[in-house]
């Protein structure tokens, strides 16, 4: 609580954390009610629902790089307010849209705004918190999970009533959370692109001092490799929300009443432990090493899932609850490592566009992860979980190797001959890019 009162970034960061809490409270309301709303109120069948969410997931993938590109030219604060207002409008449109054809563009626009907003929040924090961004990220995740928990509790009341009016009230609650978040973000100041410790450059600075044009992340093969390898480092999300419940129901003798406990454990542990985990990963090299710990943790919980099929109800329940704890530990590690490496491996002068591309890894995982688990891993049975764990562990070693190589390359001084006819400004630009 002391950290929340005095977060890195000061007043603006404190306002942003409150805005995120309200945003995630509304998201928790809608996340708990959306599938039931589309099924019982909108009247979609299983095929239409799957197509709707799949198409929306693809739109979400586009939201991250789009936000990153726009943030290179427009104020982050203005764009974030726009994302909140976009979701406010699309949620209200749900109240008057009927049928799959009308719902598809509305839900897709909601997902696009959601992923874009998360990328912009990440960029805002990177600029406002500076070198203390890992502490800010921990506070952000703690407040976000508290918001999700509160939202799920509010949704439970509406779902218990179960009427059309109750569902409409839940949608309006989510929409109002976006309005409140937009009003709070409006009270913040635009963070400087170089972080709080860097004074703004004078407006009369000569154009030549601006250095070479900012690099494009789409042409940076090493950074794209990092983003590609980061996607499987987010699989804990699909395991918690899809893999664990389905494995319990179809492959173990554990009672179904255990399923809600997975999310309760996850939420409580994230709120309590995120700061502790973040305190152990403060440098990019520590983050690269922690990626391997993530891979080993994934292998451990996949092994537990593979063995949960044997024994009685108590044994299976204990194994699945232990798995939920390990999945949460992996999530705590992932939230720190992905954040720190995405920022540290990006050139400072093009950080907005690079972070937009980095945000695609989570979006891709959210779309492809459930399909991977249901279509391949669980179809193969216990062996499927063992192969998944071994694959993620192996990829985590590769991620560490490539991340350390890039960090070393970014620290290498630029030779004077490579700087062109004006070596001193070029060398200064190389130092600032670190």
């Amino acid at each position: 609580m002391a950290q929340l009162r005095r977060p890195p970034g000061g007043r603006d960061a404190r306002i942003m954390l409150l805005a995120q809490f309200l945003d995630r409270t509304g998201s928790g309301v809608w996340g708990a009610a959306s599938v039931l709303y589309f099924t019982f109120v909108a009247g979609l069948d299983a095929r239409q629902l799957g197509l709707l969410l799949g198409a929306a997931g693809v739109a979400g993938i586009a939201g991250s790089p789009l936000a990153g590109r726009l943030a290179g030219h427009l104020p982050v604060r203005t764009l974030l307010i726009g994302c909140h207002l976009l979701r406010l409008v699309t949620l209200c449109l749900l109240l008057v849209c009927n049928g799959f054809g009308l719902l598809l563009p509305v839900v897709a626009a909601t997902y696009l705004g959601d992923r874009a907003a998360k990328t912009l929040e990440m960029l805002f924090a990177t600029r406002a918190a500076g070198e203390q961004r890992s502490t800010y990220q921990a506070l952000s995740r703690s407040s976000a999970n508290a918001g999700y928990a509160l939202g799920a509790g509010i949704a439970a009341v509406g779902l218990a009533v179960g009427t059309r009016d109750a569902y409409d009230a839940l949608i309006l609650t989510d929409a109002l959370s976006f309005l409140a978040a937009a009003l709070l973000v409006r009270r913040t100041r635009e963070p400087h692109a170089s972080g709080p410790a860097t004074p703004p450059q004078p407006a009369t600075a000569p154009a030549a001092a601006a250095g070479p044009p900012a690099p494009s992340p789409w042409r940076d093969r090493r950074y794209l490799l990092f983003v590609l390898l980061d996607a499987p480092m987010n699989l804990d999300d699909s395991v918690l929300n899809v893999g664990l419940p389905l494995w319990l129901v179809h492959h173990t003798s554990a009672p179904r009443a255990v399923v809600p406990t997975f999310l309760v454990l996850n939420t409580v542990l994230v709120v309590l432990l995120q700061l502790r985990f973040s305190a152990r990963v403060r440098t990019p090299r520590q983050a690269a090493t922690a990626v391997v710990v993530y891979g080993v943790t994934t292998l451990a919980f996949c092994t537990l899932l593979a063995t949960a099929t044997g024994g009685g109800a108590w044994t299976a329940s204990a194994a699945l609850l232990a798995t939920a704890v390990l999945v949460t530990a992996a999530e705590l590690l992932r939230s720190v490592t992905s954040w720190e490496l995405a920022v540290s491996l990006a050139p400072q002068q093009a950080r907005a566009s690079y972070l937009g591309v980095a945000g695609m890894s989570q979006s891709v995982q959210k779309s492809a992860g459930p399909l991977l688990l249901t279509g391949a891993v669980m179809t193969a049975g216990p062996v499927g979980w063992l192969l998944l764990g071994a694959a993620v562990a192996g990829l985590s070693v590769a991620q560490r190797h490539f991340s350390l190589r890039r960090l070393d390359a970014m620290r290498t001084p630029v030779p004077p001959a490579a700087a062109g006819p004006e070596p001193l400004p070029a060398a200064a630009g190389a130092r600032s890019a670190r």
Side-chain angles (χ1 to χ4, degrees), residues 312-401:
W314 285 102
T315 303
S317 298
L320 290 169
L321 290 174
T323 300
V325 173
L326 287 176
V327 169
T328 302
E331 177 187 342
L332 292 168
L333 286 167
R334 178 255 299 169
S335 66
V336 179
T337 57
S338 292
W339 163 275
E340 181 62 35
L341 290 176
V343 174
S344 301
L345 299 180
Q348 185 170 337
Q349 68 271 30
R351 188 165 281 172
S353 58
Y354 271 70
L355 291 181
V357 172
M360 291 177 61
S361 60
Q362 293 187 21
S363 301
V364 169
Q365 186 282 139
K366 285 184 177 295
S367 296
L371 295 176
L372 172 66
L373 295 183
T374 57
V377 174
M378 287 190 279
T379 302
V383 175
W385 286 112
L386 295 175
L387 291 176
L388 177 67
V392 173
L395 291 174
S396 70
V397 175
Q399 180 75 298
R400 175 184 181 275
H401 171 72

Side-chain angles (χ1 to χ4, degrees), residues 55-280:
V58 172
I61 293 175
S64 295
L66 177 62
R69 184 170 182 82
L70 291 175
H73 306 282
L74 298 172
V76 171
R77 171 177 166 273
T78 302
L79 290 171
L80 184 54
I81 293 173
C83 287
H84 289 320
L85 295 180
L86 170 65
R87 293 186 289 168
L88 167 66
V89 171
T90 55
L91 260 295
C92 291
L93 285 176
L94 285 177
L95 299 173
V96 296
C97 287
N98 294 306
F100 176 81
L102 292 176
L103 287 172
L104 181 58
V106 172
V107 177
T110 304
Y111 272 58
L112 186 144
D114 181 73
R115 293 308 309 169
K118 286 181 169 58
T119 298
L120 293 168
E121 288 170 351
M122 181 179 179
L123 183 58
F124 183 97
T126 300
R127 294 178 177 180
E131 295 302 317
Q132 294 181 285
R133 55 182 174 263
S134 61
T135 301
Y136 181 95
Q137 169 70 348
L139 294 171
S140 173
R141 284 186 53 76
S142 296
S143 61
N145 274 271
Y148 280 127
L150 176 60
I154 296 172
V157 177
L159 295 177
V161 177
T163 63
R164 172 64 188 261
D165 290 340
Y167 280 104
D168 288 349
L170 294 179
I171 292 176
L172 288 174
T173 300
D174 190 13
L176 288 175
S177 74
F178 296 143
L179 177 60
L183 293 175
L184 284 171
V185 174
R186 189 172 179 272
R187 295 177 54 197
T188 65
R189 296 163 295 184
E190 178 70 13
H192 191 263
S194 299
T198 303
Q201 297 296 322
T204 57
S216 169
W218 299 106
R219 298 180 180 178
D220 191 334
R221 289 180 294 178
R222 291 185 177 180
Y223 197 83
L224 290 177
L225 177 61
F226 158 75
V227 175
L228 178 64
L229 291 174
D230 193 49
M233 303 303 141
N234 286 267
L235 276 172
D236 57 272
D237 178 71
S238 291
V239 172
L240 178 70
N241 294 294
V242 178
L244 269 173
L246 291 181
W247 192 253
L248 180 148
V249 171
H250 297 294
H251 296 273
T252 76
S253 55
R256 297 186 182 186
V258 175
V259 171
T261 311
F262 299 151
L263 295 179
V264 173
L265 269 176
N266 177 264
T267 301
V268 172
L269 291 177
V270 168
V271 171
L272 294 178
L273 300 179
Q274 186 67 75
L275 274 172
R276 296 179 182 271
F277 273 69
S278 299
R280 297 180 178 274

